[in-house]
Amino acid sequence: MKLPIFAANWKMNHGPTDARAFVKSFLAHYPRQQDRKVVFFPNALSVTTVAEAVRDRPDLAVGVQNIHFEDKGAFTGENSAPMARDAGATHVLVGHSERRHVFGESDAAAGQKVQAALRAGLTPVLCVGELLAEREAGETEAVVLRQLRAGVAGLEAPQVAGMLFAYEPVWAIGTGRTATPADANAVHVAIRAALREAIGERAMGVPILYGGSVSRSNAPLLLAEEEIDGVLVGGASLDADGWNAIVRA
Ligand code: 13P
C-alpha cells in the first residue's frame, strides 16, 4: 500500500531562522506517524537546518526545490544533486511550473535533472502541468504526457518506479483556483496509464501527487480520489499550524 505523501514547497520563503522556528513548532504538535509521509522542500539555504531538525523522524524527509544537472563546476548560483544530498536532502523537485515558466526551463532540462538526481541517490519529484490556455485548447493530456515522457527519457524501469510525480495545473498554482478532485483525478489516471505503458505493473506503486491551491478544506477531498496519492502544497504549507492541520487530513 502507498502511504499518502504530504509535500510542502516553501518556494522562496523561510530562511534558516524562520525554518528552524517552523519545524520546532510543527514537531511539538506532530508526533511520529506510521501511516503517512511528510516531505519539506525549503529553499537551499534552509535545507541543512530542516534536515538536522527532523533527523530522528523517519516519517519526515527533506528535499531541495531545484538542482543543476551537472555535479559541479563553473555554474555561479547553482546547486548540484550531490551537494543537496550532502546537505541532508533526500528528494528534489524537478520541472516545477515556476522553473518551467518563470525561469524558462525546458522539458529536456527537466530530464537531465532527473538523471542527475538519480545519479546522486536523490528521489526526483517530476512536476508536470498545463497552462490555462492549454487546458482551454483541450491540450492538457498532451502537454502533461509530453513533459512526463521527456522527464523520464532514457531511464530504466526500476529508476522510474522509484520516482514521484506531481500534477500541478499552472492555472491552479497560487490562484485559489483548484482543479476539482474529479478533474485532477482524470489527469492522474492519464499519467498512471502513461507510466504503465512505460514500466508495466510497477507503475501502480508510483506516487502521483496533486498540487495547486491545496488547502486544509480541499485536501481530504483530493486525497479521497483513487489516483491522488498525496498533495504538494505551496502557500498553505507556510504556517506550521495550518500545515499540521493539512497533514492530519
Ligand atoms: P500553491 O499551493 O500556493 O497553489 O502552490 C502550489 C505549488 O506550486 C506547490 O509546488
Side-chain angles (χ1 to χ4, degrees):
M1 206 195 97
K2 280 174 285 189
L3 296 184
I5 296 172
F6 295 82
N9 176 8
W10 287 350
K11 307 191 179 184
M12 201 171 72
N13 297 285
H14 294 333
T17 305
D18 286 352
R20 190 174 299 111
F22 179 110
V23 178
K24 190 170 175 208
S25 156
F26 175 77
L27 291 180
H29 301 104
Y30 188 74
R32 186 165 160 183
Q33 310 287 321
Q34 311 280 2
D35 63 346
R36 63 200 62 200
K37 182 120 190 153
V38 176
V39 191
F40 292 99
F41 291 92
N43 70 79
L45 295 176
S46 300
V47 162
T48 303
T49 300
V50 178
E52 280 172 2
V54 306
R55 197 173 19 204
D56 301 329
R57 290 284 302 263
D59 58 328
L60 308 177
V62 183
V64 286
Q65 299 171 8
N66 181 38
I67 47 168
H68 193 275
F69 49 78
E70 296 287 354
D71 291 348
K72 62 177 182 174
F75 301 102
T76 301
E78 295 291 310
N79 298 296
S80 73
M83 290 169 189
R85 190 66 209 259
D86 187 26
T90 52
H91 292 67
V92 56
L93 298 180
V94 176
H96 187 275
S97 84
E98 285 141 27
R99 299 304 317 170
R100 293 179 192 270
H101 299 295
V102 181
F103 297 99
E105 197 168 296
S106 67
D107 292 348
Q112 287 177 291
K113 291 180 181 199
V114 166
Q115 301 221 4
L118 292 169
R119 265 199 319 273
L122 291 176
T123 301
V125 182
L126 180 68
C127 305
V128 297
E130 81 287 4
L131 297 163
L132 182 58
E134 292 166 336
R135 170 159 285 253
E136 287 172 345
E139 293 166 359
T140 297
E141 202 172 306
V143 169
V144 163
L145 298 188
R146 185 199 75 220
Q147 293 172 339
L148 178 83
R149 293 192 175 110
V152 303
L155 300 183
E156 304 288 337
Q159 292 178 303
V160 178
M163 291 175 60
L164 273 61
F165 294 83
Y167 169 54
E168 298 202 298
V170 180
W171 48 269
I173 296 179
T175 58
R177 198 175 149 189
T178 331
T180 65
D183 281 348
N185 193 62
V187 180
H188 284 225
V189 167
I191 292 172
R192 182 83 62 205
L195 287 172
R196 213 163 164 175
E197 208 175 280
I199 64 168
E201 284 314 296
R202 281 193 261 212
M204 304 315 285
V206 175
I208 307 174
L209 318 186
Y210 170 80
S213 295
V214 172
S215 67
R216 181 180 179 152
S217 54
N218 64 26
L221 304 173
L222 289 158
L223 289 164
E225 292 291 330
E226 180 86 25
E227 291 290 2
I228 300 184
D229 304 314
V231 285
L232 177 55
V233 188
S237 73
L238 290 176
D239 156 70
D241 293 339
W243 179 237
N244 203 325
I246 292 177
V247 298
R248 285 168 179 281

